Amino acid sequence: MALAPKKNKLSLWQRIRQNSLAYKFIAPTFVAMMVVHLIPIVQGLYLSLLDVRLTTLTLYLRAPFVGLKYYIEVFNAIFGLGEAGASSRVTGLINAASNTLVYTIWTNIGTLGLGLILAMLLNREFRWRGIARTLVLLPWVVPTFVTGTIFNFIWLEQGGLANKILLGLNIVDTPITWLIGPNSLYALVIATVWRGLPFTTIMFLAAIQVIPTDLYEAASLDGANGWQRFRHITLPLIKPIAGTQVLFGLINGFYGGYNIAVQMFGGGTGFAGEYADLLVPAITRQTWERHLYGFGSAASVILMGMLLVFVGIWYRAFRDSLRAE
């Protein structure tokens, strides 16, 4: 048998020259993206080292240099070091970080689990399937601040739709307080899952529809039941899409939830209470209401670092699936 000719490995510069036309088309977008993203990031990093507050705001990037003062303050508060008074303004941020972590986990579980179930149901043949697929998209076209307003009325203790249903079905004896106390975080999670469900469902549905039906038919002939077909065919083939969804869920969990939270709890004030306060609303309050711009920048940089760590973990977990052809 004749051996295939061995290909010479091209150097980096040769590959660039070979694809020079593609790089020329990409270059304007690349430069624009670098300007839009890189300059604000560098500016934010430098701002986090300055004592920028209301009294020094006019100085902006010429404000007094404080170095890593705000970073040390945050880490001292996290690990219980330093003076108690010095960490008082970061106590809210630590509580918000804890809430954000729980919020991110539950919103991911909710959107991924329910999205996959809905996608599998919508992939089946049934009457009015087109209408059902259209209705699933409905939460996606509702603006996030409107979603927050809608769920504010749904979760009202007196007269809210949720309590009316629960009382009507005799599931509870007394109305539940949703917008204050420990239930408030889960009220926010449910609203976020409702808003994010259409995108997840559509992504899973698109992935399921490209799976060859021959695989299912062959598995059925071999005696595989529904769960075995799902576990050994559907699940492995949609894993790259699931990995991408987890990444989006992580980013949305850390950076999202602001519009829904401020409308659902505070009517625009941004404070959802101790149990449902998230990092982005907390940083926004520290920055713009207390005029601690340098401190807010440092907190934002720490948030970005936390997210990069989680993205790194995500990449390690799904690296093989993303590289698979």
Side-chain angles (χ1 to χ4, degrees):
M1 184 176 62
L3 296 174
K6 189 176 181 180
K7 293 182 179 178
N8 294 325
K9 189 176 182 181
L10 299 176
S11 66
L12 177 63
W13 177 244
Q14 287 174 322
R15 291 202 300 271
I16 291 174
R17 290 187 62 183
Q18 190 177 47
N19 302 298
S20 60
L21 182 61
Y23 284 118
K24 287 175 184 175
F25 281 114
I26 293 171
T29 303
F30 177 77
V31 172
M33 293 298 289
M34 291 299 288
V35 170
V36 169
H37 290 286
L38 191 62
I39 292 177
I41 288 174
V42 173
Q43 192 178 46
L45 284 169
Y46 185 61
L47 205 62
S48 68
L49 306 175
L50 304 177
D51 186 20
V52 185
R53 55 181 68 212
L54 189 60
T55 54
T56 59
L57 183 59
T58 54
L59 297 174
Y60 195 44
L61 295 180
R62 292 181 288 106
F65 186 80
V66 294
L68 299 176
K69 175 187 173 184
Y70 296 132
Y71 293 96
I72 294 171
E73 190 175 332
V74 172
F75 284 112
N76 280 348
I78 291 173
F79 296 107
L81 304 173
E83 299 176 5
S87 63
S88 59
R89 63 182 169 189
V90 296
T91 304
L93 287 181
I94 296 171
N95 179 62
S98 173
N99 292 338
T100 301
L101 189 60
V102 176
Y103 168 82
T104 302
I105 292 171
W106 280 113
T107 50
N108 268 282
I109 291 174
T111 50
L112 288 173
L114 293 175
L116 181 57
I117 293 171
L118 274 176
M120 294 186 70
L121 291 174
L122 292 174
N123 192 46
R124 292 173 174 270
E125 291 287 345
F126 62 91
R127 197 177 182 188
W128 313 116
R129 186 174 70 169
I131 295 175
R133 288 181 174 181
T134 305
L135 290 175
V136 166
L137 293 175
L138 186 61
W140 204 12
V141 300
V142 178
T144 50
F145 66 92
V146 177
T147 301
T149 304
I150 292 171
F151 274 89
N152 176 272
F153 287 109
I154 290 175
W155 297 130
L156 285 176
E157 185 174 358
Q158 301 296 332
L161 180 62
N163 278 334
K164 281 187 176 179
I165 293 174
L166 293 173
L167 290 169
L169 296 175
N170 293 321
I171 296 175
V172 296
D173 297 326
T174 56
I176 297 175
T177 304
W178 291 101
L179 297 175
I180 301 174
N183 293 326
S184 55
L185 182 59
Y186 297 101
L188 180 60
V189 167
I190 292 171
T192 307
V193 169
W194 182 82
R195 179 63 172 71
L197 203 54
F199 180 75
T200 309
T201 304
I202 292 300
M203 292 286 282
F204 276 135
L205 183 59
I208 291 172
Q209 285 182 328
V210 299
I211 298 175
T213 56
D214 298 352
L215 296 177
Y216 293 109
E217 292 171 0
S220 298
L221 290 175
D222 289 338
N225 57 32
W227 167 248
Q228 290 170 328
R229 292 197 297 272
F230 171 76
R231 181 183 173 187
H232 296 291
I233 298 175
T234 306
L235 210 52
L237 292 177
I238 66 170
K239 193 175 177 182
I241 295 297
T244 308
Q245 301 274 42
V246 171
L247 176 64
F248 289 161
L250 278 175
I251 295 172
N252 289 332
F254 274 84
Y255 291 147
Y258 180 82
N259 287 341
I260 295 176
V262 297
Q263 289 300 124
M264 199 166 86
F265 295 105
T269 61
F271 185 57
E274 176 189 356
Y275 294 94
D277 196 23
L278 301 181
L279 264 177
V280 171
I283 292 173
T284 304
R285 284 198 313 277
Q286 292 282 359
T287 305
W288 300 105
E289 293 181 11
R290 300 183 65 180
H291 305 288
L292 300 173
Y293 306 103
F295 179 80
S297 298
S300 299
V301 171
I302 292 172
L303 174 61
M304 184 177 68
M306 290 170 55
L307 186 57
L308 286 175
V309 170
F310 280 102
V311 170
I313 296 171
W314 166 86
Y315 183 73
R316 293 283 297 178
F318 290 95
R319 180 174 53 186
D320 294 337
S321 298
L322 296 173
R323 288 178 175 175
E325 295 182 357

